Amino acid sequence: MYQHQDYQGQPLPLPVGKVVCIGQNYQDHIAEMQSKTAEEALFFIKPATALVPLSPAFSIPLARGAVHNEVEIAVLIATPLSHADVSQVAEAIWGYSLALDLTLREVQARLKQQGRPWELAKGFDGACPVAGFVPKALVQHPQQLDFSLYVNGEARQVGNSANMIRGICQLISEMSQFFTLQAGDIVLTGTPAGVGPLQVGDKLQLQLSDFFSISSRIA
Ligand code: ZN
């Protein structure tokens, strides 16, 4: 069972809720997907049942085509947000971490082609492995965070939150116009370039600035 934790492994007294995500929030990832930069934000939701602990290991769906990594800065919400402005968003954040927006890429391509929604590609059980959260008081500059994903010792994704098209508070404010965010919900803030297939047995290393570097593997 997944429960929110801080980055030192202490359980947090917040319920486990939904995960609200933004797609196409880094220009280099839009380019690698040969997508266009849209005026309107692309939001989607993963259910609470998608959440699993990132470490020490997690599993991926088998026989449904390629499962791609998308490492993203995750934001844990502490108090409800509805039609919020950016200063209300800043108040409501508990802290920051890293998550993987696991994506069944071939399923997603098929759904896109058919004009269907993305749940089968992004909302399956275990589709959101997440690490422990760093309290916001320790994160002086959330919009200047280096983060990376290494797979089997090789750099797969290296990003900085400064390169987001929509900043963290801005995108959460926009989300809250459509979806009320509740205590214990998580927001994923988009992935930089470097998405690619994961395999059973892969060893992962995820780093968030100087806050943590954690190992995981695909079981
Ligand atoms: Zn994503």
Side-chain angles (χ1 to χ4, degrees), residues 26 28 54 69-74 97-100 131 144-161 163 190-195 198 203-216:
Y26 288 82
D28 58 354
L54 178 69
N69 54 273
E70 293 191 2
V71 68
E72 312 201 0
I73 291 180
S97 187
L98 292 177
L100 292 172
Q144 296 171 30
L145 288 174
D146 284 312
F147 62 104
S148 61
L149 167 67
Y150 280 67
V151 180
N152 301 323
E154 288 186 14
R156 177 75 69 94
Q157 294 189 272
V158 178
N160 187 293
S161 58
N163 298 324
T191 198
V195 303
L198 295 170
K203 291 185 166 53
L204 311 185
Q205 193 76 29
L206 292 92
Q207 182 154 2
L208 177 62
S209 189
D210 296 331
F211 295 109
F212 65 72
S213 176
I214 53 171
S215 307
S216 185

Side-chain angles (χ1 to χ4, degrees), residues 23-37 68-72 101 103 105 108 112 122 147 149 155-159 165 190-197:
Q24 304 179 349
N25 201 32
Y26 288 82
Q27 205 60 52
D28 58 354
H29 174 59
I30 293 172
E32 75 174 346
M33 296 300 291
Q34 298 173 322
S35 297
K36 292 197 181 71
T37 310
H68 277 199
N69 54 273
E70 293 191 2
V71 68
E72 312 201 0
D101 169 16
T103 303
R105 193 66 74 194
Q108 184 194 35
K112 280 180 174 174
K122 282 184 173 280
F147 62 104
L149 167 67
R156 177 75 69 94
Q157 294 189 272
V158 178
I165 294 171
T191 198
V195 303

Side-chain angles (χ1 to χ4, degrees), residues 37-65:
T37 310
E39 192 80 4
E40 199 175 8
L42 195 176
F43 296 137
F44 60 96
I45 288 180
K46 291 175 186 261
T49 43
L51 288 164
V52 289
L54 178 69
S55 173
F58 62 89
S59 55
I60 57 175
L62 303 173
R64 282 189 248 162

